[in-house]
Amino acid sequence: MSRRLLLGFVLFSVVACSPGDPAEGAPSTEASAIQPGDSGRRETAVFAGGCFWSVEANFEAVPGVVSAVSGFAGGATASPSYDQVVRGGTGHLEAVQVTFDPARISYRQLVDRFWLTIDPTDPDGQFCDQGPSYATAVFADPRQKAAAEASRRAAAARIGTARFVTPVRDAVRFWPAAAAHQDFARRNPSRYGGYTRFCGRAARLRAVWGDAAA
């Protein structure tokens, strides 16, 4: 391996979507604090948007969101580990379960925001994370399906329906990932910042969504 290739491999191993070395801080096991105006009602939504670090970070800051938990959805293997999923064969996608207060933010609003945080024109992954486990999807239960489909149609119309490949899939069981995968962006800001810059995430989102990119 050339010196340049070796350097690139080392850099990628540092910033790729994998916990690697122990996190800088202890993982949080508590949901977000009660927010002003919280109704106490709770609903959940599940999104797969490539590396779950970014999906989790994007939703945690949204008013009305109580918590965002990284994990896996869409596969057949029960209680899959991270290593099993990234090796392939389980059918799971990296996903995030968002718990929210429906009195403060609607499910449709969450789906509308989700599109602006991903590149829905990429069928093979997101940014520098490519492969089956990094594919994108909205997992919707029967009550959510109509809103998710309507949101998808509206988003697809903005960039071209033929280009828009992210599907709305039937809701399936969500499996939380291990503690080392939770709250990664908050606990590891320098590494997460390096990861997003290396992957060119912001530039690609602007190319797809313009000023609306989240």
Side-chain angles (χ1 to χ4, degrees), residues 80-107:
S81 69
Y82 178 83
D83 288 342
Q84 286 177 309
V85 172
V86 297
R87 279 200 306 267
T90 71
H92 289 90
L93 309 182
E94 289 198 13
V96 170
Q97 183 181 70
V98 177
T99 299
F100 63 100
D101 178 355
R104 300 194 66 217
I105 188 168
S106 70
Y107 175 75

Side-chain angles (χ1 to χ4, degrees), residues 66-176:
V66 178
S67 66
V69 176
S70 290
F72 313 103
T77 302
S79 193
S81 69
Y82 178 83
D83 288 342
Q84 286 177 309
V85 172
V86 297
R87 279 200 306 267
T90 71
H92 289 90
L93 309 182
E94 289 198 13
V96 170
Q97 183 181 70
V98 177
T99 299
F100 63 100
D101 178 355
R104 300 194 66 217
I105 188 168
S106 70
Y107 175 75
R108 171 64 188 264
Q109 288 174 311
L110 290 174
V111 183
D112 288 347
R113 176 179 174 80
F114 171 68
W115 304 126
L116 302 178
T117 69
I118 66 167
D119 174 4
T121 70
D122 187 347
D124 301 316
Q126 288 291 284
F127 318 111
C128 64
D129 295 308
Q130 297 290 301
S133 65
Y134 297 116
T136 55
V138 173
F139 291 95
D141 67 28
R143 297 174 304 157
Q144 299 169 335
K145 200 70 174 286
E149 293 283 10
S151 176
R152 185 186 187 281
R153 288 192 297 270
R158 296 177 61 174
I159 63 173
T161 301
R163 299 176 60 212
F164 200 103
V165 298
T166 300
V168 173
R169 295 175 54 176
D170 291 338
V172 291
R173 181 162 180 176
F174 173 82
W175 299 94

Side-chain angles (χ1 to χ4, degrees), residues 14-15 22-26 53 57 182-197:
V14 169
V15 298
E24 295 169 5
W53 295 350
Q182 307 301 332
D183 296 318
F184 190 91
R186 179 181 62 78
R187 295 186 294 111
N188 301 270
S190 59
R191 183 173 172 197
Y192 180 71
Y195 160 75
T196 57
R197 289 191 297 272

